[in-house]
Structures are given as structure tokens and as C-alpha cells.
């Protein structure tokens, strides 16, 4: 879990670097308070610091395991508690405004659609492993081999799609634009694919396999189309840049967009390997799942750049550069 979070942060830091280098106004798009956002140097500084701490935890865990220490499993628990303490630290240290901004966004995400819109499975495993006391005997299989746990494991994987579905429905309620309903259907199709996978993994019969393949194929095509056409604004055959769009940040490197479209589609296909129970050589299945999850993290980071590029160009085309105009004097409203 921690490694995937760190990979997310590295991808975000790289995104910030390339957005700044290509002069994409990401602070305006994300609605950051002027002058308060973290630049790529600060993000990568925090990420590398956490990586060092994570590496030290791994070395400590391996050393304790080799020495058969009774405190072996307390090391990852302590590392998790340190991360949570840093996130909720109430004083003005470790970029308090950025931490609280993240928590507010997370709260609004979870509580959608009741508010306007502004790696959970591993957490569930940690709760089961430590909360159930299995770490005392070092038996992690008691969670992964439990049928109820496996069911909850897959149901939790639906939550991100559910939250985004609720966000889209809330935006449709607020703005009345049908595009938000179409976007909501994208997440609904992903939820249907996950549900059919749950039943296929449970029963393993042919009808559920057909349903899983059909639902996943439709969801993959729909999501890939939405990424490329709706989010990136590409595949416009009438544009000045054939099959791309009229305005491009990387105009002198058109081939990059075609490569990126192919990479996005390719990185959406690991579910095909799950049908054949594909394994990388003799690797543990958990490690294979981690590799697939890391591919999804990289795909998300890769998607972010082009999504904000398209949003930035739309803002420039519509002359949207700032949300508020500062006054040359102090103004206080009377209540």
C-alpha cells in the first residue's frame, strides 16, 4: 500500500514539473490558493523522505524477521501510524495547509453527492491483520483465505467508482449538463465489471466468465474512449492536426500524442491477464497484483498531464485565467 502511495506522489511530482515546464496553469485548475501550493521540488522532497523512511522500515522488518524478533510485525504498523500522524498533525509544520486541503477534498469525495464536488483494499487488510490479532501469530493467510474477507475485499474496490459516480450525479444535479450523466455511466460500467468479476471468482463457471469478459470489454472501450476523446480532446478528424486537436502544447512533437493514446489503452488491459491467471514467472500472486496496481498508478499519472493540458487550453480559449480579481484596497462586507 505504502509503495503505491509513494508511486502516486512521484507521478504527481513529475506532473507538476512538466506542467510548469509547459506553462500549464495547474494551480488555477485545481483551485489552489495563490502562493500556497506545493511546487514539484517540495512534493518530491516529501516523497523521497517518505521513501527513505519506508526503505528503513523494510530493512528493519527483514532484520527482525531473520532474528525471529516478536516485534517484527509492529514495524509496518508503526510506519503506518507515523504516516497517519504526519497527515493529521495539527500544528503548522509539514505543509499544514496542503495536508488539510487534501483532507477536505477526501471528505467531500467520500460524502458525495451531499456536497458540491471540489488503495483502500490494503487498508482493509491492515485492519483485519492487526485488528483481528493475527499479527501476534504471524498468520496473514487468515485474512486472505477467509471468504468473508475476500468478498469485502472486492466490495471495497468498488468504492472509488461509487464515489466518482455520486460526484458525477451531483454535478448533473447542480449544472444540468448531460455530459455528467455520460461520465457517471462510465463509472457504473466499471462497477458492473467488478461485480461480475466477484461472481466469476466465486463460482468460476462459464456464464459468469462470459459476463465478466463482456462487461470488462465494454467498460474498457468506454473508458478508453472517454479518456482520449472527452478528457484529452483528441481523435478530432477535422482538426488542423489530423486526428488530434487544433491546439497542442507539444505541437512540434505530434507523435507523442499517438504514442500516449496507445499507452493509455494498453495500460487498461491487465484485467485480460487475470482471466488466464497469468503470473510473471514464479512470482507470488500478491506481487503480480502489485505490479498490475502499479501499472494503473502510472496510467493515472500519465493521463493527468494530457487532461490538464486540454483543460488549460480550453481555459485560455475562453479567456479564463483567474477566478478573483484582487482589489487595490481592503474590503469588508457588513453583516
Amino acid at each position: 500500500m505504502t509503495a503505491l502511495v509513494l508511486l502516486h506522489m512521484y507521478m504527481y511530482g513529475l506532473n507538476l514539473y512538466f506542467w510548469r515546464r509547459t506553462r500549464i496553469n495547474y494551480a488555477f485548475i485545481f483551485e489552489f490558493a495563490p502562493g500556497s501550493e506545493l511546487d514539484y521540488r517540495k512534493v518530491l522532497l516529501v516523497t523521497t523522505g517518505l521513501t527513505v523512511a519506508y526503505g528503513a522500515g523494510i530493512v528493519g522488518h527483514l532484520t527482525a524477521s531473520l532474528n525471529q524478533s516478536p516485534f517484527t510485525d509492529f514495524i509496518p504498523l508503526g510506519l503506518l501510524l507515523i504516516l497517519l500522524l504526519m497527515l493529521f498533525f495539527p500544528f503548522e509544520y509539514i505543509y499544514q495547509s496542503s495536508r488539510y486541503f487534501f483532507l477536505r477534498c477526501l471528505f467531500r469525495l467520500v460524502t458525495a453527492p451531499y456536497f458540491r464536488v471540489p488503495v483502500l483494499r490494503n487498508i482493509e487488510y491492515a485492519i483485519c491483520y492487526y485488528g483481528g490479532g493475527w499479527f501476534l501469530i504471524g498468520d496473514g493467510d487468515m485474512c486472505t483465505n477467509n471468504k468473508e474477507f475476500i468478498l469485502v475485499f472486492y466490495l471495497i474496490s468498488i468504492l472509488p467508482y461509487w464515489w466518482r459516480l455520486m460526484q458525477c450525479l451531483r454535478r448533473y444535479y447542480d449544472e444540468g449538463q448531460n455530459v455528467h450523466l455520460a461520465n457517471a455511466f462510465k463509472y457504473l460500467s466499471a462497477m458492473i465489471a467488478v461485480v461480475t468479476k466477484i461472481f466469476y471468482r466465486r463460482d468460476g463457471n462459464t456464464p459468469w466468465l462470459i459476463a465478466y469478459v463482456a462487461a470488462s470489454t465494454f467498460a474498457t472501450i468506454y473508458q478508453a474512449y472517454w479518456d482520449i476523446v472527452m478528457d484529452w480532446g483528441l481523435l478530432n478528424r477535422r482538426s488542423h492536426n489530423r486526428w488530434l486537436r487544433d491546439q497542442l502544447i507539444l505541437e512540434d512533437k505530434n507523435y507523442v500524442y499517438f504514442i500516449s493514446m496507445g499507452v493509455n489503452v494498453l495500460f487498461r488491459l491487465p484485467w485480460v491477464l487475470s482471466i488466464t491467471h497469468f503470473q510473471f514467472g514464479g512470482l507470488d500472486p500478491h506481487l503480480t497484483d502489485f505490479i498490475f496496481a502499479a501499472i494503473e498508478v502510472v496510467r493515472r499519472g500519465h493521463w493527468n498531464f494530457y487532461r490538464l493540458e486540454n483543460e488549460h487550453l480550453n481555459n485560455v480559449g475562453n479567456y479564463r485565467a483567474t477566478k478573483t480579481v484582487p482589489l487595490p484596497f481592503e474590503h469588508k462586507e457588513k453583516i
Side-chain angles (χ1 to χ4, degrees):
M1 176 185 69
T2 307
L4 293 176
V5 172
L6 291 175
L7 181 57
H8 264 295
M9 295 176 67
Y10 276 116
M11 293 301 298
Y12 177 60
L14 290 175
N15 278 329
L16 292 179
Y17 171 75
F18 286 110
W19 288 331
R20 180 170 181 176
R21 184 174 179 179
T22 54
R23 298 184 179 182
I24 293 176
N25 193 359
Y26 64 88
F28 171 76
I29 296 173
F30 288 142
E31 299 184 5
F32 291 150
S36 67
E37 73 274 8
L38 300 183
D39 61 17
Y40 71 92
R41 294 183 182 88
K42 293 178 180 178
V43 171
L44 294 178
L45 175 63
V46 172
T47 307
T48 51
L50 293 176
T51 303
V52 171
Y54 181 60
I58 293 177
V59 173
H61 186 268
L62 292 175
T63 303
S65 299
L66 294 176
N67 294 329
Q68 297 182 346
S69 171
F71 303 104
T72 300
D73 287 327
F74 284 98
I75 295 177
L77 177 61
L79 189 62
L80 178 61
L81 293 177
I82 291 174
L83 292 177
L84 292 176
L85 178 63
M86 291 177 59
L87 183 60
F88 292 97
F89 194 62
F91 303 107
E92 294 186 3
Y93 296 97
I94 320 176
Y95 310 115
Q96 183 194 50
S97 61
S98 297
R99 290 186 288 110
Y100 283 11
F101 178 82
F102 170 76
L103 291 175
R104 286 194 300 270
C105 291
L106 186 62
F107 174 76
R108 289 185 175 273
L109 173 67
V110 174
T111 55
Y114 304 108
F115 293 90
R116 291 182 180 270
V117 177
V119 204
L120 298 171
R121 294 181 293 179
N122 298 96
I123 296 177
E124 194 257 342
Y125 174 81
I127 294 174
C128 174
Y129 185 64
Y130 289 104
W134 304 118
F135 72 98
L136 297 174
I137 59 176
D139 191 356
D141 294 333
M142 292 300 295
C143 290
T144 55
N145 293 334
N146 185 282
K147 292 184 178 180
E148 287 75 14
F149 172 84
I150 295 175
L151 178 61
V152 175
F153 185 84
Y154 281 113
L155 290 177
I156 285 181
S157 67
I158 297 177
L159 282 180
Y161 300 117
W162 170 258
W163 289 334
R164 290 293 292 125
L165 173 65
M166 292 298 101
Q167 282 184 319
C168 293
L169 293 179
R170 176 67 200 208
R171 292 196 65 182
Y172 174 73
Y173 175 80
D174 292 336
E175 304 172 14
Q177 297 180 2
N178 291 332
V179 66
H180 299 308
L181 283 180
N183 197 15
F185 184 72
K186 179 183 70 172
Y187 296 105
L188 179 62
S189 67
M191 292 173 61
I192 295 174
V194 173
V195 171
T196 56
K197 181 179 180 179
I198 293 174
F199 285 101
Y200 168 63
R201 285 288 182 89
R202 188 191 66 177
D203 300 334
N205 53 35
T206 302
W208 280 117
L209 173 60
I210 295 175
Y212 172 46
V213 172
S216 298
T217 301
F218 176 81
T220 299
I221 294 174
Y222 194 101
Q223 293 166 8
Y225 170 84
W226 195 274
D227 285 350
I228 296 172
V229 177
M230 303 299 294
D231 290 339
W232 294 359
L234 302 177
L235 288 183
N236 184 358
R237 61 189 180 89
R238 296 180 180 178
S239 73
H240 300 306
N241 301 294
R242 190 70 171 174
W243 294 110
L244 297 177
R245 59 173 121 81
D246 291 340
Q247 301 295 326
L248 299 173
I249 294 291
L250 307 176
E251 192 168 3
D252 57 336
K253 298 179 180 179
N254 290 359
Y255 63 91
V256 173
Y257 294 92
F258 292 103
I259 295 175
S260 295
M261 286 189 282
V263 169
N264 181 272
V265 174
L266 181 64
F267 280 10
R268 279 193 173 276
L269 297 178
W271 66 268
V272 177
L273 300 179
S274 67
I275 298 176
T276 60
H277 304 287
F278 175 82
Q279 298 294 328
F280 292 97
L283 294 181
D284 184 90
H286 295 92
L287 184 56
T288 302
D289 291 340
F290 171 80
I291 293 174
F292 289 155
I295 290 175
E296 175 62 15
V297 171
V298 173
R299 188 196 67 80
R300 288 281 181 174
H302 172 258
W303 172 89
N304 283 339
F305 175 82
Y306 297 99
R307 178 66 185 93
L308 260 72
E309 178 202 16
N310 189 36
E311 185 70 17
H312 172 77
L313 292 174
N314 287 333
N315 289 340
V316 172
N318 292 310
Y319 303 102
R320 294 194 299 263
T322 181
K323 294 184 180 297
T324 59
V325 178
L327 300 175
F329 53 87
E330 185 178 1
H331 174 71
K332 295 183 179 179
E333 294 184 357
K334 294 182 180 181
I335 299 177

